[in-house]
Amino acid sequence: MRIQRSITFAVFLFTLPLYSQAELSLSAGLFSDYIANGVTQTEGDPALQLSLDWAISDNVYVGAWVSNVDFGEGNDNTAEVDMYAGIVLSMSEQIAIDLGAVYYQYFGDKESDELAFNEIYALTSYESKVDISRTFSF
């Protein structure tokens, strides 16, 4: 069921831009390590990470992010797939609030479902007149 949901979401992301004026972007990177919250997710090994983002308008977006993972002995997970959506609310020309949700899921281990979780986030940003941008999360 989880794989079917992921495939459905991926097909949705790839086909909707064909029918709208949305902006689709793809990025890829190779990194020496994948570290989340100060903890390596690849046992210090390199990580290949891909993201697909779809900006529905200037302030609404959805996307997916993928990375290889290695949690060490006893855990056979090999991939993390994060699906997210959000909206950016402009409070002024300089202040914005980004509200969204992420679903984290893992693949490769028979108990991968136990690691999956949701997260809701709110970010604020302030852009100064000297083009310095700051982001604060809580």
Side-chain angles (χ1 to χ4, degrees):
M1 180 65 173
R2 191 179 88 230
I3 292 175
Q4 180 182 7
R5 190 174 11 168
S6 296
I7 291 171
T8 302
F9 185 78
V11 169
F12 172 76
L13 283 178
F14 279 106
T15 59
L16 264 174
L18 299 175
Y19 303 104
S20 70
Q21 297 299 315
E23 182 178 322
L24 185 66
S25 63
L26 176 67
S27 65
L30 181 60
F31 302 91
S32 60
D33 194 1
Y34 166 24
I35 298 175
N37 297 321
V39 178
T40 180
Q41 305 296 296
T42 56
E43 293 286 298
D45 292 331
L48 175 62
Q49 298 175 347
L50 307 168
S51 72
L52 176 65
D53 298 299
W54 181 48
I56 299 167
S57 66
D58 286 341
N59 61 342
V60 177
Y61 60 90
V62 295
W65 180 88
V66 178
S67 180
N68 59 296
V69 295
D70 181 355
F71 298 131
E73 291 285 325
N75 188 309
D76 294 328
N77 283 301
T78 57
E80 174 184 340
V81 178
D82 305 342
M83 293 179 286
Y84 51 88
I87 184 169
V88 178
L89 306 171
S90 294
M91 306 310 285
S92 70
E93 287 186 22
Q94 297 165 312
I95 299 172
I97 298 174
D98 182 352
L99 304 172
V102 184
Y103 176 67
Y104 300 88
Q105 59 186 349
Y106 300 87
F107 296 94
D109 193 277
K110 62 184 176 189
E111 298 172 353
S112 295
D113 287 341
E114 294 177 14
L115 295 177
F117 65 98
N118 296 302
E119 180 178 79
I120 296 173
Y121 60 87
L123 304 170
T124 57
S125 63
Y126 173 78
E127 187 174 323
S128 72
K129 293 181 181 181
V130 290
D131 293 332
I132 296 173
S133 181
R134 300 281 188 242
T135 300
F136 306 94
S137 61
F138 53 93

